[in-house]
Protein backbone atom coordinates (compact mmCIF):
# COMPACT_ATOMS: atom_id res chain seq x y z
CA UNK A 1 0.00 0.00 0.00
CA UNK A 2 1.38 3.41 -0.96
CA UNK A 3 0.14 6.53 0.82
CA UNK A 4 0.89 10.01 -0.51
CA UNK A 5 -0.52 13.48 0.10
CA UNK A 6 -2.28 15.64 -2.50
CA UNK A 7 1.12 16.73 -3.86
CA UNK A 8 2.33 13.15 -4.26
CA UNK A 9 4.70 13.32 -1.28
CA UNK A 10 4.93 10.02 0.65
CA UNK A 11 3.25 10.04 4.07
CA UNK A 12 5.34 8.47 6.83
CA UNK A 13 4.20 7.60 10.33
CA UNK A 14 0.64 6.61 9.46
CA UNK A 15 -1.23 3.90 11.34
CA UNK A 16 -2.91 1.63 8.80
CA UNK A 17 -5.47 -1.07 9.47
CA UNK A 18 -7.91 -2.86 7.20
CA UNK A 19 -10.69 -5.39 7.25
CA UNK A 20 -10.87 -7.74 4.27
CA UNK A 21 -14.32 -9.09 3.41
CA UNK A 22 -15.01 -11.80 0.88
CA UNK A 23 -17.56 -10.31 -1.57
CA UNK A 24 -19.73 -13.44 -1.54
CA UNK A 25 -19.35 -14.11 2.19
CA UNK A 26 -17.60 -17.44 1.55
CA UNK A 27 -14.79 -16.66 3.97
CA UNK A 28 -14.69 -14.92 7.35
CA UNK A 29 -13.60 -11.29 7.59
CA UNK A 30 -9.87 -10.83 8.11
CA UNK A 31 -8.44 -7.96 10.19
CA UNK A 32 -5.08 -6.70 8.92
CA UNK A 33 -2.45 -4.38 10.38
CA UNK A 34 0.19 -2.74 8.24
CA UNK A 35 3.82 -1.89 8.95
CA UNK A 36 6.00 0.74 7.22
CA UNK A 37 8.54 -0.67 4.77
CA UNK A 38 9.72 2.50 2.96
CA UNK A 39 8.73 6.20 2.81
CA UNK A 40 4.95 6.18 2.27
CA UNK A 41 4.86 2.39 1.73
CA UNK A 42 3.10 -0.05 4.04
CA UNK A 43 2.80 -3.84 4.00
CA UNK A 44 0.32 -6.09 5.76
CA UNK A 45 1.77 -8.11 8.62
CA UNK A 46 -0.12 -11.15 7.31
CA UNK A 47 -1.19 -12.40 3.88
CA UNK A 48 -4.73 -12.88 2.61
CA UNK A 49 -5.84 -16.11 1.01
CA UNK A 50 -5.96 -15.92 -2.79
CA UNK A 51 -9.13 -14.53 -4.31
CA UNK A 52 -11.19 -11.39 -4.58
CA UNK A 53 -11.63 -9.25 -1.46
CA UNK A 54 -13.32 -5.99 -0.46
CA UNK A 55 -10.90 -3.97 1.66
CA UNK A 56 -11.99 -1.34 4.18
CA UNK A 57 -8.86 0.66 5.10
CA UNK A 58 -8.55 3.01 8.07
CA UNK A 59 -5.56 5.36 7.86
CA UNK A 60 -4.66 7.63 10.78
CA UNK A 61 -2.04 10.37 10.53
CA UNK A 62 -1.43 13.70 12.30
CA UNK A 63 -4.70 13.51 14.23
CA UNK A 64 -6.77 12.87 11.09
CA UNK A 65 -8.46 9.74 9.83
CA UNK A 66 -9.30 8.55 6.32
CA UNK A 67 -11.39 5.54 5.37
CA UNK A 68 -11.04 3.93 1.96
CA UNK A 69 -12.89 1.06 0.29
CA UNK A 70 -11.17 -0.93 -2.47
CA UNK A 71 -11.60 -4.25 -4.22
CA UNK A 72 -8.52 -6.35 -4.81
CA UNK A 73 -7.87 -9.60 -6.65
Amino acid sequence: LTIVDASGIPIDGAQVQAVAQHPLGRAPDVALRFEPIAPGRYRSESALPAGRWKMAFTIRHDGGEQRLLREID
Side-chain angles (χ1 to χ4, degrees):
L1 175 67
T2 301
I3 304 173
V4 297
D5 66 13
S7 302
I9 297 171
I11 294 179
D12 290 329
Q15 294 178 349
V16 182
Q17 297 176 322
V19 174
Q21 300 172 318
H22 193 271
L24 301 176
R26 293 185 181 159
D29 292 355
V30 179
L32 300 169
R33 296 183 61 101
F34 289 73
E35 61 186 0
I37 57 170
R41 304 249 350 221
Y42 298 82
R43 176 179 55 204
S44 173
E45 295 174 349
S46 55
L48 282 174
R52 190 168 154 208
W53 295 89
K54 291 182 181 181
M55 301 289 295
F57 291 95
T58 301
I59 302 166
R60 293 181 181 92
H61 183 259
D62 271 348
E65 180 177 289
Q66 291 284 327
R67 295 181 184 264
L68 304 169
L69 298 174
R70 298 287 187 267
E71 285 196 17
I72 61 168
D73 290 320

